Amino acid sequence: MILTLSTMLASSGEVGPKVLTHAADSGQGDPLYFFGLNWEVVLITLIKCLVAFIALLVATALMIWFERKVISDMQSRVGPNRAGPWGLLQTLADGTKLVFKEDLLPDRADAFVFKLAPYLSVIPAVLIFTVVPVGGVITIGSHTFELQVADPPMGILLVLAMSGIAVYGVMLAGWSSGSKYPLLGSVRASAQVISYEAALGMTTVMVVLVTSSLSTRAIVASQSNGFWHWNLIRLGVLPFIFFMIAITAELTRPPFDLTEAEQELVGGFHTEYSSIRFGLFFLAEFMNTITMSAIVVTLFFGGPNGYIPHIPGATIYMPVIYFLLKTAAFCFIYVWFRAALPRLRYDQLMDLGWKRLIPMTLGWLLIVAAVIAWGWAGLIMVPVVVFASLFLIRATHLGAGRSEEDVIIPAIGRPVTRAPRLSPVEPSGGEP
C-alpha cells in the first residue's frame, strides 16, 4: 500500500507537505516511509523513539509527584516538600533509594520468571504509547513525518493486545514468588482483567465502527472538524463512561486495586519483591495511567485536535499543547478517583464487570451498529435492547432470590429427603 501510494504521488508530481499530510491523516501510515529507507529516515526514527521514551519516563516521575501533591491537598496534608523545589525531586530520591536497596530472591522462587515479571509489566506500557498521536504532521528539510513513533494500520488492536498482555507480568510475579499470598493477588489480577477485557473491546469496536479505521491517526483525523465531531458526542457519551470503568479496572487503579489489598493479601503480588524490581511494578502502574489517559483522549476527545490561531508555527506546537492538557486532565481524574472512592469488594467488582458492564456495552454496540448500517431506521434496535435488558434484570433478580434448597432437583419418581436441622446444644451440655 505504501509503495503504491508513493508511486502515485511521484507520478503525479504532487509530493508536497499538504499531499503527504492528507495521506497520513487517511490512515496510510507515516509519510516518512513513503519513499523508502535511508540513513536519514532511520536516524529520524531513532530520535523519535528516544524522545518518546525519555518523555514518558519524565512524565511518569511527574505523575507520581502530581498524585502525591493532589491527594495531600485533598486530604489537608503537606505532601512531598523536602527534595527539590516543591518536592519535585522526591520521586528521583525514592527511585535512587530503590536502586541501592538489596535485591532479594526468595528460596522457593523461580529465579528466571521472578526476575522477568517486572519487565513484562513495563514493556506493554511503553509500546502502547508508541501508537499515540501526540501532534500533527511536520516537515524538517525534505522529510515530512508524524509526531508519533509508529502509525500501523491496526494501531488500536496493538493497544488492546498490550493491555491484555500486561497482566502476565502480575500473574507471573505472584506465581514465581513461591508464596501463597502473592499468588492470591496475581490470580485476582488475571480474573479482574478477563472480566473487563470484553467490555473494553466492545467499547473500542464502537469507535472503530464510527471512524471506519483501526489506525489511531485516522481515528484522530475523523474528529478534527470541531468538538461536536468528537467520538464522545457521536457515540452518545455512554461508551466513554464504559471505557473509563473498564480501563480503570484493567489498570488495577483505585477503586479497583484489589490486586494489592493490604488488609487481605499482605501487600499483594509484589510482596516478595524488593529493590528496583519492586519499583518497576509501580513504574508500570503510573506509566499505564499516562498512556491510557492518552488513549482515552485519542479515542473520544479528538487527540491533539483543537483551535489553531493564526500565529506562525502554531500548527506545530498548538496540537502538542492540546494533547498535553487533555491528557493531564485525565491523569487528574485518576488521582481524584483514588482520593475520593472507596475500594470495591471483590464480589462487587465481578458483578459490575459480568452482570452490568458487559450487557450494557453489548446493547449499546448493537444500537450503534444498527444506526451506522441502517441510518435512523436502526433506532428500531432500541426497544429490542430495552426488552432484552428487562428480561436479563428479571432473570438476575430471580436467581439472586433463590436459596440453595430451591435449586435441588429431585430424581424422577423419588421423593426428596432432606436431613433434619439440628438444634444448637447449650454450653452446659443439657438437652437442646
Side-chain angles (χ1 to χ4, degrees), residues 81-345:
N81 63 347
R82 300 294 182 183
W86 306 291
L88 280 170
L89 298 181
Q90 185 64 50
T91 303
L92 179 62
D94 293 339
T96 305
K97 178 185 69 174
L98 287 174
V99 169
F100 287 100
K101 287 178 70 70
E102 182 181 3
D103 188 12
L104 301 177
L105 180 64
D107 293 336
R108 301 175 61 183
D110 186 318
F112 176 75
V113 179
F114 184 84
K115 295 178 180 178
L116 179 65
Y119 301 98
L120 293 180
S121 295
V122 175
I123 291 175
V126 177
L127 293 179
I128 289 175
F129 192 75
T130 59
V131 299
V132 175
V134 178
V137 179
I138 66 174
T139 301
I140 298 179
S142 60
H143 295 285
T144 300
F145 57 91
E146 300 170 343
L147 289 179
Q148 180 178 353
V149 176
D151 184 18
M154 70 295 291
I156 200 63
L157 294 184
L158 177 66
V159 173
L160 293 177
M162 290 300 104
S163 66
I165 290 176
V167 72
Y168 282 93
V170 176
M171 184 65 201
L172 292 177
W175 173 81
S176 64
S177 295
S179 175
K180 59 185 177 181
Y181 293 110
L183 181 61
L184 286 174
S186 60
V187 169
R188 279 187 170 194
S190 59
Q192 179 172 330
V193 171
I194 291 172
S195 300
Y196 286 85
E197 193 73 32
L200 184 68
M202 285 189 289
T203 309
T204 309
V205 167
M206 300 181 204
V207 176
V208 173
L209 285 176
V210 78
T211 56
S212 302
S213 178
L214 292 170
S215 168
T216 52
R217 173 67 60 172
I219 291 174
V220 168
S222 68
Q223 307 174 70
S224 60
N225 294 324
F227 73 90
W228 54 90
H229 287 280
W230 288 357
N231 290 331
L232 173 74
I233 307 299
R234 292 196 289 180
L235 292 174
V237 181
L238 282 181
F240 161 69
I241 298 176
F242 299 153
F243 189 89
M244 280 295 294
I245 296 174
I247 203 62
T248 304
E250 288 271 321
L251 298 176
T252 63
R253 288 278 303 183
F256 304 106
D257 56 334
L258 294 168
T259 57
E260 49 184 85
E262 296 86 354
Q263 71 274 20
E264 304 166 17
L265 299 172
V266 197
F269 61 90
H270 49 67
T271 301
E272 302 293 342
Y273 279 87
S274 64
S275 187
I276 190 60
R277 303 186 196 280
F278 177 81
L280 285 177
F281 284 113
F282 289 94
L283 176 69
E285 176 185 337
F286 286 97
M287 191 177 291
N288 274 317
T289 303
I290 296 172
T291 55
M292 286 307 170
S293 298
I295 291 297
V296 171
V297 170
T298 300
L299 295 182
F300 295 98
F301 289 85
N305 290 326
Y307 172 73
I308 305 297
H310 297 286
I311 302 175
T315 56
I316 297 176
Y317 61 81
M318 285 304 297
V320 178
I321 293 176
Y322 285 131
F323 173 81
L324 293 177
L325 290 176
K326 294 175 185 178
T327 304
F330 278 98
C331 290
F332 173 77
I333 290 175
Y334 278 118
V335 177
W336 193 3
F337 286 167
R338 183 167 198 154
L341 299 179
R343 179 183 289 142
L344 273 68
R345 296 198 315 265

Side-chain angles (χ1 to χ4, degrees), residues 346-424:
Y346 201 73
D347 61 316
Q348 294 174 333
L349 175 77
M350 290 292 127
D351 285 348
L352 177 62
W354 290 103
K355 295 181 180 180
R356 292 172 177 81
L357 199 59
I358 290 179
M360 287 190 293
T361 52
L362 179 58
W364 201 262
L365 174 60
L366 293 175
I367 295 174
V368 170
V371 171
I372 292 175
W374 303 329
W376 291 109
L379 293 177
I380 194 175
M381 189 61 67
V382 174
V384 176
V385 171
V386 171
F387 175 78
S389 302
L390 294 176
F391 182 79
L392 182 61
I393 292 173
R394 177 61 177 169
T396 304
H397 179 72
L398 289 176
R402 290 174 178 171
S403 63
E404 294 182 0
E405 294 181 355
D406 295 330
V407 299
I408 299 177
I409 302 177
I412 299 177
R414 296 181 181 179
V416 178
T417 58
R418 297 187 178 92
R421 296 183 178 179
L422 300 178
S423 301

Side-chain angles (χ1 to χ4, degrees), residues 64-78:
I64 298 174
W65 171 84
F66 177 73
E67 180 160 328
R68 285 174 164 180
K69 294 297 284 188
V70 172
I71 290 181
S72 64
D73 185 64
M74 290 182 174
Q75 298 174 348
S76 298
R77 295 186 290 109
V78 176

